[in-house]
Amino acid sequence: MPELPEVETVRKILTPLVVGKKINEIIILKEKFLKNINIKNFSTILVGQKIVAVRRYGKYLFFDFEKNTMIAHLRMEGKFNYYKEDTKLFKHDYIIFYFTDGSNLRYNDSRQFGTIHLVDYHQEKTLKCISKLGLEPFSSLIDLEYLQTKIKTKKTTIKALLLDQTIMTGFGNIYVDEVLFRTKIYPKTRGNQLSDKQLLDILTTGRIILQQSIDCGGTTVKSFMVTGNKQGGFQY
C-alpha cells in the first residue's frame, strides 16, 4: 500500500501536469470507487472545472477544483497515470478525466480497493475517514508530550501504535518496520514500556526515513510506480 512518501511522490509529479487543466469529460467504467456520490452527479459537478491544486495529508490525495475537492485513497494498487494525448485504454483503467487540451488523467487500480470522495472545496474534514486522522509525523505539534499521551499510556505494541492512523498518519508497514529496525526497538514492545528517549528516537528517525524516501521517490517493493512508469528508489 502506498504510504506517505509514495503518495507525496505522486502529488509532486502530478502537480505540474494537471494543475490548471479544465475537465472536458469524465468516463467512469466502475462506480464502486465513488463512495459518497453517484456517476451522474460526479461528472456533472466536475466537468467544466479546473484543477487548482493537488494536496496530500497522510496517505490521502486531495485534488482541489474551483468549487470542489476530490479525495483519493490509492489503497493497495491504485495509480494515477497522465497521458499527453488520447490513447487506447489499458487494463484496469477505470476512471478517465479528459481535459480540454486533449490530455487525460486515468485512475488505474488492479485490486479495486481504492476510494474516491467528492466534497465542497476544502471541506475534506467533513468526511469521517479524514476527520479521525492524527497529525502527520512532520507536524511541529508532535513532541514528547504528545507521544507520551498517545503512546506511553498504551499497552498496545509499538508496531500497532505506529500503524494507527489516528495517532500519526502516513506510516505503513514498510516505514514502521524500517523505523523500529533503525532504532533497535522490538516491534512487540508495548507503548507503556518505552522510555522517553525511545519515543524521541522513533519520532526523529521516522522523520529522517520518510524524508529520505520522499527524496528517492518512494519505495517500489512490488508494483508501486507513478505516471511515466517511474519507480521509487528507496528500497535500494
Side-chain angles (χ1 to χ4, degrees), residues 123-171:
Q123 294 302 304
E124 59 269 9
K125 288 187 177 179
T126 60
L127 298 174
K128 184 178 180 180
C129 60
I130 302 298
S131 64
K132 69 180 184 180
L133 295 177
L135 298 172
E136 286 201 326
F138 293 115
S139 172
S140 60
L141 297 177
I142 297 183
D143 54 15
L144 179 58
E145 183 180 356
Y146 181 87
L147 296 177
Q148 288 172 331
T149 301
K150 298 291 185 178
I151 294 179
K152 204 171 172 61
T153 58
K154 306 292 177 60
K155 294 182 180 180
T156 310
T157 66
I158 184 56
K159 178 165 183 178
L161 290 169
L162 291 178
L163 288 172
D164 186 342
Q165 300 300 295
T166 67
I167 295 176
M168 278 196 292
T169 184
F171 282 117

Coordinates of all heavy atoms in Angstrom, one line a residue, residues 123-171:
Q123 N -13.4 21.0 2.0 CA -14.3 20.5 3.1 C -14.0 19.0 3.4 O -14.9 18.3 3.8 CB -15.7 20.8 2.8 CG -16.1 22.2 2.7 CD -15.8 22.9 4.0 OE1 -16.3 22.6 5.1 NE2 -15.0 24.0 3.9
E124 N -12.8 18.6 3.2 CA -12.5 17.2 3.4 C -12.7 16.7 4.8 O -13.0 15.5 5.0 CB -11.0 16.9 3.0 CG -9.9 17.6 3.7 CD -9.6 18.9 3.0 OE1 -10.3 19.4 2.1 OE2 -8.6 19.5 3.5
K125 N -12.6 17.6 5.8 CA -12.8 17.2 7.2 C -14.2 16.9 7.5 O -14.5 16.4 8.6 CB -12.2 18.2 8.1 CG -10.6 18.2 8.1 CD -10.1 19.1 9.2 CE -8.5 19.1 9.1 NZ -7.9 20.0 10.1
T126 N -15.1 17.1 6.6 CA -16.5 16.7 6.8 C -16.6 15.1 6.7 O -17.7 14.6 7.0 CB -17.5 17.4 5.8 OG1 -17.1 17.0 4.5 CG2 -17.4 18.9 6.0
L127 N -15.6 14.5 6.1 CA -15.6 13.0 6.0 C -15.0 12.4 7.2 O -13.9 12.8 7.7 CB -14.8 12.6 4.7 CG -15.3 13.1 3.4 CD1 -14.3 12.7 2.3 CD2 -16.7 12.5 3.1
K128 N -15.6 11.4 7.7 CA -15.1 10.7 8.9 C -13.7 10.1 8.7 O -12.9 10.2 9.6 CB -16.1 9.6 9.3 CG -15.7 8.9 10.6 CD -16.7 7.8 10.9 CE -16.3 7.1 12.3 NZ -17.3 6.1 12.6
C129 N -13.5 9.6 7.5 CA -12.2 9.0 7.2 C -11.0 10.0 7.3 O -9.9 9.6 7.5 CB -12.2 8.3 5.8 SG -12.5 9.4 4.4
I130 N -11.3 11.3 7.1 CA -10.3 12.3 7.2 C -10.3 12.9 8.6 O -9.2 13.2 9.1 CB -10.6 13.4 6.1 CG1 -10.6 12.8 4.7 CG2 -9.5 14.5 6.2 CD1 -9.3 12.2 4.3
S131 N -11.5 13.2 9.1 CA -11.5 13.9 10.4 C -10.9 13.1 11.6 O -10.4 13.7 12.5 CB -13.0 14.2 10.8 OG -13.7 13.0 11.0
K132 N -10.8 11.8 11.4 CA -10.3 10.9 12.5 C -8.8 10.8 12.4 O -8.1 10.2 13.3 CB -10.9 9.6 12.5 CG -10.6 8.7 11.3 CD -11.3 7.3 11.4 CE -10.9 6.4 10.2 NZ -11.5 5.1 10.3
L133 N -8.2 11.3 11.3 CA -6.7 11.1 11.2 C -5.9 11.9 12.2 O -6.3 13.0 12.6 CB -6.3 11.6 9.8 CG -6.8 10.7 8.6 CD1 -6.4 11.4 7.3 CD2 -6.4 9.3 8.7
G134 N -4.8 11.4 12.7 CA -4.0 12.1 13.6 C -3.1 13.1 12.9 O -3.2 13.3 11.7
L135 N -2.1 13.6 13.6 CA -1.1 14.5 13.0 C -0.1 13.8 12.1 O 0.1 12.6 12.2 CB -0.3 15.2 14.1 CG -1.2 16.0 15.1 CD1 -0.3 16.5 16.2 CD2 -1.8 17.2 14.4
E136 N 0.4 14.5 11.1 CA 1.5 14.0 10.3 C 2.8 13.9 11.1 O 3.0 14.8 11.9 CB 1.7 14.8 9.0 CG 0.6 14.6 8.0 CD 1.0 15.0 6.6 OE1 1.8 16.0 6.5 OE2 0.6 14.4 5.6
P137 N 3.7 13.0 10.8 CA 4.9 12.9 11.5 C 5.8 14.2 11.5 O 6.5 14.4 12.4 CB 5.7 11.7 10.8 CG 4.6 10.9 10.2 CD 3.5 11.9 9.8
F138 N 5.6 14.9 10.4 CA 6.4 16.2 10.2 C 5.8 17.3 11.0 O 6.4 18.4 11.1 CB 6.6 16.6 8.8 CG 7.4 15.6 8.0 CD1 6.8 14.8 6.9 CD2 8.7 15.4 8.2 CE1 7.5 14.0 6.2 CE2 9.5 14.5 7.5 CZ 8.9 13.8 6.4
S139 N 4.6 17.2 11.6 CA 4.0 18.3 12.3 C 4.8 18.7 13.5 O 5.3 17.9 14.3 CB 2.6 17.8 12.7 OG 2.0 18.8 13.6
S140 N 4.9 20.1 13.6 CA 5.6 20.7 14.8 C 4.8 20.4 16.1 O 5.3 20.7 17.2 CB 5.8 22.2 14.5 OG 4.5 22.8 14.4
L141 N 3.5 20.0 16.0 CA 2.7 19.8 17.1 C 3.0 18.4 17.8 O 2.6 18.2 18.9 CB 1.2 19.8 16.7 CG 0.7 21.1 16.2 CD1 -0.8 21.0 15.8 CD2 0.9 22.2 17.3
I142 N 3.8 17.6 17.1 CA 4.2 16.3 17.7 C 5.5 16.5 18.4 O 6.5 16.8 17.8 CB 4.3 15.2 16.6 CG1 3.0 14.9 15.9 CG2 4.9 13.9 17.2 CD1 3.1 13.8 14.9
D143 N 5.4 16.3 19.7 CA 6.6 16.5 20.6 C 6.5 15.3 21.6 O 5.7 14.4 21.5 CB 6.6 17.8 21.3 CG 5.3 18.2 22.0 OD1 4.5 17.2 22.3 OD2 5.1 19.3 22.4
L144 N 7.4 15.4 22.6 CA 7.5 14.3 23.6 C 6.2 14.2 24.4 O 5.7 13.1 24.6 CB 8.6 14.6 24.6 CG 8.8 13.5 25.7 CD1 9.0 12.1 25.1 CD2 10.0 13.9 26.6
E145 N 5.6 15.3 24.7 CA 4.3 15.3 25.5 C 3.2 14.6 24.7 O 2.4 13.8 25.2 CB 3.9 16.7 25.9 CG 2.6 16.7 26.7 CD 2.2 18.1 27.1 OE1 3.0 19.1 26.8 OE2 1.2 18.3 27.7
Y146 N 3.2 14.9 23.4 CA 2.2 14.3 22.5 C 2.4 12.8 22.5 O 1.4 12.0 22.6 CB 2.3 14.9 21.1 CG 1.3 14.3 20.1 CD1 0.0 14.9 20.0 CD2 1.6 13.2 19.3 CE1 -0.9 14.4 19.1 CE2 0.7 12.7 18.4 CZ -0.6 13.3 18.3 OH -1.5 12.8 17.4
L147 N 3.6 12.3 22.3 CA 3.9 10.9 22.2 C 3.7 10.2 23.6 O 3.2 9.0 23.6 CB 5.4 10.7 21.8 CG 5.7 11.2 20.4 CD1 7.2 11.0 20.1 CD2 4.8 10.5 19.3
Q148 N 3.9 10.9 24.6 CA 3.7 10.3 26.0 C 2.2 10.1 26.1 O 1.8 9.0 26.7 CB 4.2 11.3 27.1 CG 5.7 11.3 27.2 CD 6.2 12.4 28.2 OE1 5.5 13.4 28.3 NE2 7.3 12.2 28.8
T149 N 1.4 11.0 25.7 CA -0.1 10.9 25.8 C -0.6 9.8 24.9 O -1.5 9.0 25.3 CB -0.8 12.2 25.5 OG1 -0.3 13.2 26.3 CG2 -2.3 12.1 25.6
K150 N -0.2 9.7 23.7 CA -0.7 8.9 22.7 C -0.1 7.4 22.7 O -0.8 6.5 22.2 CB -0.5 9.5 21.3 CG -1.2 10.8 21.0 CD -2.7 10.6 21.0 CE -3.4 11.9 20.7 NZ -4.9 11.8 20.6
I151 N 1.1 7.3 23.1 CA 1.8 6.0 23.1 C 2.2 5.4 24.4 O 1.9 4.3 24.7 CB 3.1 6.1 22.2 CG1 2.7 6.4 20.7 CG2 3.9 4.9 22.3 CD1 3.8 6.6 19.8
K152 N 2.7 6.3 25.3 CA 3.3 5.8 26.5 C 2.2 5.3 27.5 O 2.4 4.6 28.5 CB 4.2 6.8 27.2 CG 5.2 6.3 28.2 CD 6.2 7.3 28.6 CE 7.1 6.9 29.7 NZ 7.9 5.7 29.3
T153 N 0.9 5.7 27.3 CA -0.2 5.3 28.1 C -0.8 4.0 27.7 O -1.8 3.6 28.3 CB -1.2 6.4 28.1 OG1 -1.7 6.7 26.8 CG2 -0.7 7.7 28.7
K154 N -0.3 3.4 26.6 CA -1.0 2.3 26.0 C -0.2 1.0 26.2 O 1.0 1.0 26.2 CB -1.1 2.5 24.4 CG -1.8 3.8 24.0 CD -3.3 3.8 24.4 CE -3.9 5.2 24.1 NZ -3.9 5.5 22.7
K155 N -1.0 -0.1 26.3 CA -0.4 -1.4 26.5 C -0.3 -2.1 25.1 O 0.2 -3.2 25.0 CB -1.3 -2.3 27.4 CG -1.3 -1.8 28.8 CD -2.2 -2.8 29.7 CE -2.2 -2.3 31.1 NZ -3.0 -3.2 32.0
T156 N -0.8 -1.4 24.1 CA -0.7 -2.0 22.7 C 0.8 -2.0 22.2 O 1.6 -1.2 22.7 CB -1.5 -1.1 21.7 OG1 -2.8 -0.9 22.3 CG2 -1.6 -1.7 20.4
T157 N 1.1 -2.9 21.3 CA 2.5 -3.0 20.8 C 2.9 -1.7 20.1 O 2.0 -1.1 19.4 CB 2.7 -4.2 19.9 OG1 1.9 -4.0 18.7 CG2 2.3 -5.5 20.6
I158 N 4.1 -1.4 20.1 CA 4.6 -0.1 19.4 C 4.3 -0.2 17.9 O 4.0 0.8 17.3 CB 6.1 0.2 19.7 CG1 6.5 1.5 19.1 CG2 7.0 -0.9 19.3 CD1 5.6 2.7 19.5
K159 N 4.5 -1.4 17.3 CA 4.2 -1.5 15.9 C 2.7 -1.2 15.6 O 2.5 -0.4 14.6 CB 4.5 -2.9 15.3 CG 4.2 -3.0 13.8 CD 4.8 -4.2 13.1 CE 4.5 -4.1 11.6 NZ 5.0 -5.2 10.9
A160 N 1.8 -1.7 16.3 CA 0.4 -1.4 16.1 C 0.1 0.1 16.4 O -0.7 0.7 15.6 CB -0.4 -2.3 17.0
L161 N 0.8 0.7 17.3 CA 0.5 2.1 17.6 C 1.0 3.0 16.5 O 0.4 4.0 16.2 CB 1.2 2.5 18.9 CG 0.6 1.9 20.2 CD1 1.5 2.1 21.4 CD2 -0.8 2.5 20.5
L162 N 2.2 2.6 15.9 CA 2.7 3.4 14.8 C 1.9 3.3 13.5 O 1.9 4.1 12.7 CB 4.2 3.1 14.5 CG 5.2 3.5 15.6 CD1 6.6 3.0 15.3 CD2 5.1 5.0 15.9
L163 N 1.2 2.1 13.4 CA 0.3 1.9 12.3 C -1.0 2.5 12.5 O -1.8 2.7 11.5 CB 0.1 0.4 12.0 CG 1.3 -0.4 11.5 CD1 1.1 -1.9 11.5 CD2 1.7 0.1 10.1
D164 N -1.4 3.0 13.7 CA -2.6 3.6 14.0 C -2.7 5.0 13.4 O -2.0 5.9 13.9 CB -2.8 3.6 15.5 CG -4.2 4.1 15.9 OD1 -4.9 4.8 15.1 OD2 -4.6 3.9 17.1
Q165 N -3.5 5.2 12.3 CA -3.5 6.4 11.6 C -4.2 7.6 12.4 O -4.1 8.7 12.1 CB -4.3 6.3 10.3 CG -3.6 5.3 9.4 CD -2.2 5.6 9.0 OE1 -2.0 6.6 8.3 NE2 -1.2 4.8 9.4
T166 N -4.8 7.2 13.6 CA -5.4 8.3 14.4 C -4.4 8.9 15.3 O -4.6 9.9 16.0 CB -6.6 7.7 15.2 OG1 -6.1 6.8 16.2 CG2 -7.6 7.1 14.3
I167 N -3.2 8.2 15.4 CA -2.1 8.8 16.3 C -1.2 9.6 15.4 O -0.9 10.8 15.7 CB -1.4 7.6 17.0 CG1 -2.3 6.9 18.0 CG2 -0.1 8.2 17.7 CD1 -1.7 5.7 18.7
M168 N -0.6 9.0 14.4 CA 0.2 9.6 13.4 C -0.2 9.1 12.1 O -0.2 7.8 11.9 CB 1.7 9.4 13.7 CG 2.3 10.3 14.7 SD 4.2 10.4 14.6 CE 4.6 8.7 15.2
T169 N -0.5 9.9 11.1 CA -0.9 9.4 9.8 C 0.1 9.5 8.8 O 0.9 10.4 8.7 CB -2.2 10.2 9.4 OG1 -2.7 9.6 8.1 CG2 -1.9 11.6 9.2
G170 N 0.3 8.4 8.0 CA 1.2 8.4 6.9 C 2.1 7.1 7.0 O 2.6 6.7 5.9
F171 N 2.4 6.6 8.2 CA 3.2 5.4 8.3 C 2.4 4.1 7.9 O 1.2 4.0 8.2 CB 3.7 5.2 9.7 CG 4.8 6.1 10.1 CD1 4.7 7.0 11.1 CD2 6.1 5.9 9.5 CE1 5.8 7.8 11.5 CE2 7.2 6.7 9.9 CZ 7.0 7.7 10.8

